[in-house]
Amino acid sequence: MTRLAASHLTCLRGARLVFEDLGFDLAGGGALLLTGPNGSGKSSLMRVLAGLLEPFDGSVDLDGTAAYIGHHDPVKPTLTVRESLDFWAALYGADASDVDAALDQLALTDLAPIQGRLLSSGQRRRLTLGRLLVQGAEIWLMDEPTVGLDTAAVKRVESLVAAHRAAGGIVVLSTHIEFALPGAQTLDLGDFAPGRAVDRAGEAA
């Protein structure tokens, strides 16, 4: 069964302790919304969960395949929208029908022959989100997925996330705007700032 859990996670970036003693546990269909001020470690936590950054302490238990999208959109300027999705599909073992579905679900069909260099920021973001669909991973790690998106596009992403969870997938998401994520756990990274572990122990006592 798909599962993502963290126990006593501590993250060190350079000489700076970002967060400490962080934990959560998600089963299939679950979601985790990351909140907290800038610099509290939301992106660092995403990178730890994705295996791109080693934790200073603690552990991550991941049962299933994971896909991560960060703040930046890795769109090749000379590839068309279709060619980019075809490339990702070949990389992850998807087929043409998966590419067609991603184009449709993210309203990219009319943009399929357009090169990446000609896309707006919102269109590039939707193309990056298309990679999640063709990758077919069970766990989505989405760092600010709504950056550059208009209201209609945000609604599309909300629907895709809901469908992914309904199929047993897991979503970890950070955003600075309102995003429909019913039943999600919320993790405020500010609560795990250095020294807060002692504060929490005192509050519990």
Side-chain angles (χ1 to χ4, degrees):
M1 182 177 180
T2 306
R3 179 172 178 260
L4 177 63
S7 177
H8 302 293
L9 273 188
T10 297
C11 178
L12 188 70
R13 299 298 302 268
R16 174 177 170 252
L17 193 62
V18 182
F19 57 76
E20 62 180 348
D21 200 31
L22 180 153
F24 64 86
D25 197 332
L26 294 171
L32 180 67
L33 178 64
L34 303 183
T35 64
N38 290 338
S40 59
K42 298 184 293 295
S43 294
S44 294
L45 175 57
M46 288 282 194
R47 292 176 62 81
V48 169
L49 298 178
L52 301 174
L53 180 66
E54 284 290 326
F56 180 71
D57 197 9
S59 61
V60 174
D61 182 7
L62 189 153
D63 187 0
T65 54
Y68 163 76
I69 59 169
H71 289 183
H72 303 294
D73 300 314
V75 174
K76 296 291 186 182
T78 59
L79 292 184
T80 67
V81 168
R82 177 83 198 204
E83 288 169 343
S84 290
L85 288 175
D86 283 341
F87 170 79
W88 288 325
L91 186 64
Y92 297 118
D95 57 31
S97 64
D98 297 311
V99 172
D100 290 337
L103 289 169
D104 178 62
Q105 290 171 306
L106 288 162
L108 291 169
T109 302
D110 290 343
L111 298 174
I114 305 300
Q115 289 184 327
R117 64 186 178 86
L118 300 175
L119 300 176
S120 69
S121 60
Q123 291 166 345
R124 289 196 301 271
R125 195 57 170 167
R126 281 187 279 147
L127 177 53
T128 298
L129 289 164
R131 177 168 58 83
L132 285 182
L133 300 184
V134 298
Q135 188 168 349
E138 296 154 316
I139 300 168
W140 288 0
L141 306 172
M142 309 174 76
D143 194 0
E144 297 286 353
T146 57
V147 169
L149 298 185
D150 59 23
T151 301
V154 171
K155 294 297 183 185
R156 283 181 178 272
V157 177
E158 288 176 341
S159 296
L160 291 173
V161 166
H164 182 65
R165 294 176 64 193
I170 289 173
V171 174
V172 180
L173 185 146
S174 69
T175 180
H176 283 96
I177 69 169
E178 290 292 327
F179 191 94
L181 207 60
Q185 298 179 35
T186 299
L187 195 69
D188 186 340
L189 272 291
D191 290 341
F192 299 91
R196 283 291 293 162
V198 175
D199 294 343
R200 291 196 303 275
E203 291 166 2

